[in-house]
Each structure stands twice: as C-alpha cells, then as structure tokens.
Amino acid sequence: MDTTSARLGTGQASWLDWLDDSQLGLAMRSELWLYPIVEVVHILGFVVLVGSVFMFDLRVLGLSKDIPVTALARHLLRWSVAALVLIVPAGLMMFTAHPHDFATNNIFILKLCLIATAGLNAALFHVGVYRSVGRWNTRIAAPAIAKVQAVLSIGLWVSVVLCGRLLAYT
Ligand code: HEM
C-alpha cells in the first residue's frame, strides 16, 4: 500500500488513482494551455458569484436602500447560480490534475467546508429572515439577524477565496 492509500484507505485512494490516470487528468497536466484556461474559467466564475453575493450582502447591510431587496435578489440569484456552471466543472477539472495532492491538502478540505458553510448560511437566510422581507424591502433597515448573516457571508466567501489562492503555495 502506498502512502496515499495508507492515509486515505484503499477505496478512496482507488478513485483518486483512477482520476490521476484518466485522459482528463493526463491532459490537464500535459497540455500547456489547458490548466491556465480552466483556471481562468474558474476565476471568472467565482468573480461573478462572489461579486453578486457581495452586492446583495452590502444591500442587506444598508447600502443603496432605494433598491428593493427582492428585485436585487431576483436579479443576482440568477447570476450566482449561472456562475456555479463555470466554477464547479473548472474546479473539478483542476482537481483531476493532482487528485492525491488536493484530497490530502488541509487548505483544500477547509475551502470545501467553507463553501458548504456559506451555502448553508445562504439557505438559512432564505428560509429564515428573508420570509419577512416585505417589511424591510425598501428604505428600511434589515433586521439584525439579516445583517449578521450578511457579514458572515462576506467573511466566509473572503475565506474561500483566500484558501483557493493559498492552494498554489501549499
Ligand atoms: C464556489 C466558490 C469557489 C471559490 C470562490 C473558489 C476560489 C478559488 C481561488 C481564489 C483559486 C485560486 C485561483 C488562482 O490562484 O489562480 C481557486 C483554485 C482552485 N479551486 Fe476553487 N473556488 C471555488 C470552488 C471550487 C470547487 C467547488 C472546487 C472543486 C471541487 C475548486 C477547486 C479548485 C482547485 C483544484 C484550484 C486550483 C489550485 C491550484 O492550481 O493551485 N474550487 N479557487
């Protein structure tokens, strides 16, 4: 059993081996332009996602109070969902280039946990305080819990970007 198999268990190591040996993994490592192009797609995707999330969070925190929260949510939600279509496949493609390294990298695992936490925070916002948005839609301060969730959201997404950037150095 090699070191990765010993650390991850044979089952997990075998799908990582399979990814490592796949045509895609090989192409991502050997084609000069493929990895950088996929990385640019990943970056464009998370710029749109994190940008639209920030615009919404800043509105909840009290900026541009003339814009109805519901109108902004309707507009930005579409962009953040569309951005996932770029982010996730590009992230998975980069993962296939060095699956063992990423799967055992604590920063990568932390990044995925932070993404899950940010997603949970957004879901709780929508099923929770957002239900009362009719009362604070325009020119009225959002409830404290909404502001706490907006600050949390900004902090989580900044941490995700930080972890993503740190991957190049770990
Ligand atoms: C959803 C929000 C996400 C954000 C904000 C994000 C952010 C980042 C950032 C900032 C980088 C560094 C880019 C660079 O330095 O050029 C990066 C790289 C990377 N991301 Fe993501 N990412 C996200 C999702 C994902 C997902 C879902 C996966 C995989 C399942 C993933 C896998 C990767 C990989 C493998 C790298 C390459 C690291 C390297 O080559 O050094 N990312 N990401």
Side-chain angles (χ1 to χ4, degrees), residues 35 39 42-43 46 49-50 84 87-88 91-92 94-95 102 108 111-112 115 157 160-162 164-165 167-168:
Y35 199 103
E39 192 156 21
H42 195 62
I43 292 169
F46 72 68
L49 172 72
V50 176
L84 291 175
I87 299 169
V88 177
L92 291 172
M94 289 190 288
F95 183 87
F102 286 125
F108 183 74
K111 177 178 149 174
L112 294 188
I115 292 171
W157 286 113
V160 172
V161 172
L162 194 63
R165 197 68 270 277
L167 286 176

Side-chain angles (χ1 to χ4, degrees), residues 10-24:
T10 318
Q12 265 166 297
S14 63
W15 72 265
L16 294 174
D17 288 341
W18 180 81
L19 275 183
D20 211 3
D21 296 338
S22 65
Q23 290 295 319
L24 180 61

Side-chain angles (χ1 to χ4, degrees), residues 47-106:
V47 162
V48 172
L49 172 72
V50 176
S52 49
V53 169
F54 274 27
M55 288 303 108
F56 185 73
D57 289 337
L58 290 175
R59 169 64 190 85
V60 171
L61 288 173
L63 266 78
S64 311
K65 277 208 185 94
D66 289 341
I67 303 175
V69 177
T70 47
L72 200 60
R74 249 195 325 274
H75 175 62
L76 293 177
L77 200 61
R78 268 185 228 139
W79 285 101
S80 34
V81 172
L84 291 175
V85 176
L86 298 181
I87 299 169
V88 177
L92 291 172
M93 282 178 80
M94 289 190 288
F95 183 87
T96 61
H98 308 286
H100 296 95
D101 293 345
F102 286 125
T104 53
N105 185 322
N106 288 335

